[in-house]
Amino acid sequence: MNWLRFGNPEYLHLLWAIPPLIFLLLFGLRRKQKALLRFHSNVDPAHLRRHKIQAVLLLLSCLCIILAVARPQWGAKPESVAERLDVMLALDISTSMLAEDEQSVQRLDHAKEAIFSLLAELQGDRVGLLYFAEASFVVCPLTSDTATLGEFLAAVTAETLAHSGTRIANAIEIATERLVSDEKNATRAPDIEGQKALILFTDGEDHGEETVEAAKAAALKGMHIYCVGIGNPLKSVPIPLRGDGGDGATPYKRDVNGQLVLTVLDEKLLQEIAKIGNGNYYHAATGMTQLATDLARLEKQRFTVRSDGEYQERFQWFVAGALILLIYELVHFAIWVRKTGLAMWVRKIGR
């Protein structure tokens, strides 16, 4: 029976106890009737009928309880409506993210803290993670499992950064392609298509020339680009490199002429990208709450969640049936006692 199943079918073996119970009850009623006839020439049929009704009600109650414990299930669960937002987080992993705008705190660590705080606000949405420098690659596809995405994020450390140069345009193109293709390849199209968001966590250093054009193309495809600035826009700092300078001092990045390379947060570029991308710009230290608020305002995809073959629990009906039968048996017994007591009182008065 495809329309019916039991959550705990092993308890159905208790049904084998029903036939012996019927036999014992019938045997007991027959013995009781014979015992009464030894002392009375005629047995009141109503007395025996009450015991038969009581036995039937108790048997039916046991049957309902056994079926309830076995958890009968049938009928598909009702459909529900779910909403979600698709968000791609793009983290800059170029060597400039090793810079320390604050003492002993790298930009990379600031960016990771900002992303972790944002993930707490994106529960229920689908979030992906992309790393970018000169090239871009998706390390975690869109998923509702933000805990797994957090593990990917935690795995990135300063020791893993070995990427010089930054092409923000490439990150925008890869993220847009992934978000759009994911929607096309979905097994079930949403009832209402929502908006999609790309969030760039970067210091704004860009060695490409197509960033503005990439942002315009992404906006035409319905993307919303938000930029989170990492670093200090007013103070240039050197970029530390891995390894030892030889004299115990920290080595810093230098150009071909041996001049120290300094880096500063380029807020102007990030603000321009966000404006073209129908988004906004925020600084990681102060704007994460506002970013979460702005993301919540975006129109989400709306899906009809089907039952996927799941059945509804119906054990409540059998529990209710058992209670009704037991209550009826008690009421029937009370009525019988009342009538029997009234008849005995009438007979006493007649004497």
Side-chain angles (χ1 to χ4, degrees):
M1 293 184 294
N2 294 330
W3 59 272
L4 172 65
R5 70 180 183 185
F6 292 90
N8 299 320
E10 62 274 13
Y11 289 103
L12 292 177
H13 292 295
L14 295 175
L15 294 175
W16 292 108
I18 297 297
L21 283 175
I22 295 175
F23 174 78
L24 289 174
L25 287 171
L26 291 176
F27 180 76
L29 287 174
R30 182 64 60 86
R31 291 291 300 271
K32 185 172 185 177
Q33 184 177 7
K34 290 181 178 180
L36 290 173
L37 288 173
R38 292 178 184 176
F39 301 98
H40 301 277
S41 58
N42 186 25
V43 179
D44 185 2
H47 182 75
L48 293 176
R49 185 167 60 251
R50 192 200 72 79
H51 284 285
K52 290 180 181 179
I53 294 175
Q54 182 184 29
V56 170
L57 293 174
L58 290 175
L59 280 172
L60 290 176
S61 298
C62 289
L63 177 62
C64 288
I65 291 174
I66 292 172
L67 291 176
V69 172
R71 289 176 51 208
Q73 303 168 348
W74 69 81
K77 290 185 176 180
E79 296 180 347
S80 58
V81 176
E83 293 183 341
R84 73 184 184 197
L85 182 67
D86 286 350
V87 180
M88 183 64 73
L89 307 177
L91 174 62
D92 186 348
I93 59 169
S94 61
T95 52
S96 64
M97 294 294 285
L98 294 174
E100 298 176 357
D101 297 277
E102 298 178 17
Q103 188 175 5
S104 301
V105 181
Q106 296 177 336
R107 291 176 180 176
L108 178 65
D109 293 330
H110 271 170
K112 290 170 64 174
E113 289 177 6
I115 293 176
F116 275 121
S117 67
L118 182 62
L119 286 178
E121 303 294 332
L122 295 176
Q123 297 295 327
D125 295 324
R126 292 201 309 171
V127 187
L129 181 62
L130 176 147
Y131 295 159
F132 71 95
E134 188 173 2
S136 304
F137 49 96
V138 176
V139 292
C140 182
L142 290 173
T143 178
S144 299
D145 186 359
T146 54
T148 299
L149 187 144
E151 293 177 3
F152 280 101
L153 182 63
V156 181
T157 63
E159 286 70 24
T160 63
L161 301 188
H163 303 277
S164 299
T166 308
R167 292 185 62 235
I168 297 178
N170 185 251
I172 296 174
E173 291 168 356
I174 296 297
T176 302
E177 180 183 353
R178 178 56 66 94
L179 288 169
V180 173
S181 64
D182 185 84
E183 181 179 343
K184 291 180 179 179
N185 297 329
T187 56
R188 186 178 72 248
D191 300 331
I192 297 178
E193 294 185 3
Q195 296 169 319
K196 301 180 183 300
L198 165 63
I199 307 176
L200 297 166
F201 292 83
T202 177
D203 54 19
E205 284 208 354
D206 187 28
H207 300 95
E209 299 178 355
E210 310 88 6
T211 303
V212 173
E213 294 302 321
K216 290 179 180 179
L220 291 175
K221 295 181 180 180
M223 295 284 295
H224 289 257
I225 304 176
Y226 298 88
C227 296
V228 177
I230 311 295
N232 191 330
L234 303 177
K235 179 182 178 183
S236 299
V237 293
I239 302 173
L241 300 177
R242 292 180 299 169
D244 195 329
D247 56 356
T250 302
Y252 291 96
K253 186 176 181 179
R254 297 179 180 274
D255 60 20
V256 293
N257 298 320
Q259 298 296 317
L260 196 65
V261 176
L262 300 178
T263 176
V264 63
L265 169 61
D266 188 350
E267 288 190 314
K268 183 178 179 180
L269 174 62
L270 297 182
Q271 289 169 349
E272 184 180 4
I273 294 172
K275 183 178 180 180
I276 294 173
N278 298 318
N280 207 342
Y281 168 78
Y282 317 85
H283 192 277
T286 58
M288 299 312 298
T289 300
Q290 184 59 47
L291 172 58
T293 301
D294 291 344
L295 289 175
R297 294 194 182 104
L298 293 180
E299 183 179 4
K300 297 188 177 184
Q301 295 179 353
R302 186 171 299 174
F303 286 85
T304 298
V305 181
R306 296 174 175 81
S307 61
D308 294 330
E310 294 187 7
Y311 291 68
Q312 289 198 76
E313 297 281 356
R314 303 293 186 178
F315 69 90
Q316 303 93 332
W317 292 16
F318 294 91
V319 172
L323 290 175
I324 291 172
L325 290 169
L326 291 174
I327 292 173
Y328 180 76
E329 193 278 329
L330 291 174
V331 172
H332 185 269
F333 176 74
I335 294 174
W336 179 83
V337 169
R338 185 175 180 182
K339 288 183 178 178
T340 303
L342 180 61
M344 292 176 62
W345 182 73
V346 170
R347 282 199 296 272
K348 288 181 179 180
I349 293 179
R351 292 175 184 174

